[in-house]
Amino acid sequence: MPNTRLRRHLFKTITTITVGPSAQPFHLHRDLLTHHSPFFAACLSPTSSFLESHTNTVALPSDRPDTFEYLTQWLYTASLAHEAVDTPDSDSPPAFFTLLHLYALADKLFISALKNDIVDRIAELADTRNAVPAPDDTRVLYGEIRESAPVRRLVLDLFVWMKTDALVVGHEDSWDERFLRDLVVRVKKGRSGGGTTGVRGGEAPWRRDLCAYHEHGEGDVRCCQRGEK
């Protein structure tokens, strides 16, 4: 029988998160934070020796309030809808940097489910809008996101498999040099058969197995295997 007594005590405690140099406050349900984020779970655990567990306040002074607001939206609605991303004008490319800033924050807070949703959204935008990140986006990708993050592989694969030659060569803004280096390496691996069927040969890898760009905990069922018997 479900423990209804336990459920009645959920979502009653409000935690304050202060974000950015100005310490902009956000007031969120503690149980929601600790359910999704091991970072918050550790900070706010009743048995923790961290100061945050006693003050019920967590400071994130180096993060962006607008990005944390986007994170809050996802926590409460599971939606990544955003006016900068869902641009109605087909001539206006999606603001990939908005999603990449969010990915960096989710990575810091160890929220794997959000990172996986962002990967899915980037892949969807690439396919439905025929769009790829711009030079400014690559600076966020390489300046804020760790080297081993799967989203880096996804963006590189988007550039390898989609028709981006003219964009890379002719864009008036400069690309992150580390991105260009990794792109050259990725192209050479594709041409040499390094785990692929060749550059633009066969089906694009994210269409074949988007789950390969996700992060899963030890023992977790891969997304593509859910519901399989």
Side-chain angles (χ1 to χ4, degrees), residues 9-193:
H9 289 279
L10 292 175
F11 302 107
K12 290 189 175 181
T13 302
I14 299 296
T15 294
T16 298
I17 312 295
T18 60
V19 185
S22 63
Q24 181 172 329
F26 291 81
H27 307 289
L28 288 79
H29 289 93
R30 184 174 65 188
D31 292 299
L32 191 66
L33 292 167
T34 58
H35 171 75
H36 285 287
S37 168
F39 173 89
F40 286 125
C43 287
L44 300 170
S45 170
T47 60
S48 170
S49 59
F50 293 121
L51 178 64
E52 290 87 348
S53 66
H54 302 288
T55 63
N56 200 33
T57 299
V58 179
L60 300 175
S62 62
D63 293 298
R64 300 162 53 108
D66 59 337
T67 302
F68 193 84
E69 183 176 29
Y70 197 9
L71 169 69
T72 299
Q73 171 187 303
W74 181 86
L75 287 173
Y76 281 96
T77 68
S79 168
L80 288 174
H82 193 286
E83 63 275 8
V85 175
D86 305 303
T87 54
D89 184 358
S90 59
D91 293 330
S92 299
F96 284 102
F97 64 85
T98 302
L99 290 167
L100 293 172
H101 281 310
L102 184 59
Y103 190 101
L105 179 58
D107 198 43
K108 174 180 179 177
L109 302 177
F110 304 103
I111 308 179
S112 295
L114 174 53
K115 288 188 285 184
N116 295 344
D117 280 359
I118 294 169
V119 161
D120 292 353
R121 187 72 181 111
I122 291 174
E124 178 188 15
L125 287 168
D127 282 335
T128 61
R129 300 286 300 276
N130 192 31
V132 292
D136 285 348
D137 302 323
T138 63
R139 285 189 280 277
V140 176
L141 183 66
Y142 278 76
E144 297 185 18
I145 295 174
R146 60 185 165 86
E147 183 177 354
S148 59
V151 71
R152 280 204 189 184
R153 288 191 289 107
L154 172 64
V155 171
L156 288 169
D157 282 345
L158 292 178
F159 275 81
V160 169
W161 262 264
M162 298 178 72
K163 294 182 178 179
T164 58
D165 310 57
L167 175 65
V168 173
V169 174
H171 204 290
E172 60 184 11
D173 296 327
S174 59
W175 301 85
D176 186 277
E177 292 182 1
R178 295 162 294 180
F179 164 74
L180 293 177
R181 177 202 63 200
D182 286 351
L183 181 58
V184 170
V185 172
R186 186 73 186 91
V187 169
K188 288 180 69 67
K189 283 184 177 180
R191 285 180 175 163
S192 64

